């Protein structure tokens, strides 16, 4: 890595900084795990990592925002992140709304981002399709808050699934525009996608991504699902009628999804998965994927049960994480305010 041109960035310039977040909009699923969370865990060995439960993002869809569920879901997501291997001794883990700098920087960036670029974001177009008048401004503005999340921590890399690639490119554009107008302030981030399973598809509708809020129960594998439920979901996964086990995203999205999931959880490639299972039928492939997924998730489920028994300890981890996050976010925000010319408080 080259030295960072942004003055004031804390820590050694040659150490990669990583930021990523996950919304407490429902239980974590296999797409979240394979697309993002596994990379978060691995990156802890080689980078300075900051991870957030992005609860401010989870209120952007009013029909999915249940005030009674938000706090328990936030705590449960943090518990799941810890259970999956986020280590608070090596990473900063916190809740986005506990660090107010996110919301304030988002406002400053709102005056740098443009209406046109936000309107072109595929996720906004998908989620707002057919309901323009009732869509919240928050949903439209989501990528600007996400930009604030990332650049507050000078992140070079943002490990995400494929669906977030456009948002990270936009974050880079906004940060670059800010630096150009107001002077070098922010590090320019890049998305980091996993080599396989960057877009895990719904098991019932394999042309649609698996999603916390829009997928039917049978199409979504939750990280904390019981083994029997996982096996049943894979058994009923939609495939096709030609019977051949091979990868082809366009022609065979269901089978390709199964092969990608198998490759990801066994640490192999899709080619290996085809070589190992190409001779069998779809039933055998589904059974093999289910078994591999159950084994992959077994330790996460067990650890989650242990951690969930002591929610106060998870709360303490999050409080300490917020303090550490604020120690980086506050000076970054102060520099941005200064660069934009605000009068500093006396
Ligand atoms: N199907 C997926 N395959 C691979 N990666 C995925 N991610 C989400 N779905 C898949 C990645 O998971 C991380 C956290 O996602 P998020 O909670 O910020 O929101 P999202 O991308 O909008 O995920 P969902 O599950 O679809 O949530 P809802 O339904 O609330 O919108 C991200 O890195 C994402 O790429």
């Amino acid at each position: 890595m080259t030295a960072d041109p942004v003055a004031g960035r804390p820590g050694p310039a040659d150490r990669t900084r990583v930021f990523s977040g996950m919304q407490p909009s429902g239980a974590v699923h296999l797409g979240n795990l394979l697309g993002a969370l596994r990379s978060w865990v691995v990156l802890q060995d080689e980078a300075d990592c900051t991870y957030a439960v992005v609860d401010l993002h989870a209120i952007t869809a009013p029909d999915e925002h249940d005030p009674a569920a938000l706090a328990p879901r936030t705590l449960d997501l943090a518990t799941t992140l810890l259970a999956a291997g986020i280590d608070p001794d090596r990473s900063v883990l916190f809740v986005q709304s506990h660090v107010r700098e996110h919301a304030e920087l988002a406002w400053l960036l709102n005056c740098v981002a443009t209406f046109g670029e936000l309107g072109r974001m595929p996720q906004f177009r998908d989620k707002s399709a057919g309901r323009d008048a009732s869509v919240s401004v928050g949903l439209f503005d989501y990528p600007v808050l996400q930009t604030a999340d990332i650049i507050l921590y000078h992140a070079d890399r943002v490990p995400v699934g494929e669906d977030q690639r456009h948002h990270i490119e936009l974050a880079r554009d906004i940060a670059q525009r800010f630096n150009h107008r107001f002077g070098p302030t922010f590090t320019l981030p890049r998305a980091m996608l996993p080599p396989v399973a960057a877009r895990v598809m719904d098991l019932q509708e394999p042309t649609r991504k698996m999603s916390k809020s829009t997928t039917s129960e049978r199409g979504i594998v939750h990280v904390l699902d019981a083994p029997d439920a996982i096996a049943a979901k894979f058994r009923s996964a939609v495939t096709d009628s030609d019977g051949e086990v091979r990868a082809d995203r366009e022609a065979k999205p269901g089978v390709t999804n199964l092969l990608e999931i198998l490759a990801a959880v066994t640490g192999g490639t899709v080619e290996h998965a085809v070589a190992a299972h190409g001779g069998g039928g779809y039933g055998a492939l589904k059974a093999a994927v289910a078994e591999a997924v159950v084994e992959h998730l077994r330790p996460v489920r067990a650890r989650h049960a242990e951690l969930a028994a002591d929610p106060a300890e998870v709360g303490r981890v999050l409080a300490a994480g917020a303090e550490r996050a604020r120690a980086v976010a506050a000076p970054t925000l102060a520099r941005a305010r200064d660069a934009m010319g605000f009068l500093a408080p006396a």
Side-chain angles (χ1 to χ4, degrees), residues 6-32:
V6 175
R9 194 171 104 142
D14 60 350
R15 181 105 169 133
T16 301
R17 285 162 179 79
V18 164
F19 175 90
S20 199
M22 198 170 286
Q23 299 181 70
S25 47
V28 175
H29 57 72
L30 204 53
N32 300 135

Side-chain angles (χ1 to χ4, degrees), residues 20-37 40 54 57-58 61 64 77 123 127 142 146 158-165 167 194 197-202 208-215 220:
S20 199
M22 198 170 286
Q23 299 181 70
S25 47
V28 175
H29 57 72
L30 204 53
N32 300 135
L33 181 76
L34 302 181
L37 181 47
W40 297 15
V54 289
H57 286 277
E64 288 159 21
L77 176 52
Q123 196 173 77
K127 291 196 173 186
Y142 180 115
Q146 190 174 8
V158 187
V160 285
E162 217 272 328
D163 61 318
Q164 292 294 330
R165 192 166 45 83
H167 286 175
R199 178 181 284 265
V200 175
M201 308 308 274
D202 182 312
R208 218 168 88 165
K209 80 158 188 146
M210 191 178 282
S211 182
K212 286 197 230 67
S213 49
T214 55
T215 310
I220 186 167

Side-chain angles (χ1 to χ4, degrees), residues 34 38 196-197 200 258-270 296:
L34 302 181
R38 272 185 3 149
V196 70
V200 175
L258 294 175
L259 289 167
E260 290 216 5
I261 292 171
L262 184 59
V265 298
T266 55
T269 62
V270 169
H296 191 72

Side-chain angles (χ1 to χ4, degrees), residues 23-26 55-75 213:
Q23 299 181 70
S25 47
D55 52 349
L56 296 173
H57 286 277
I59 61 168
T60 52
D63 42 346
E64 288 159 21
H65 172 202
D66 172 3
L70 185 58
R73 280 181 175 176
T74 300
L75 187 66
S213 49

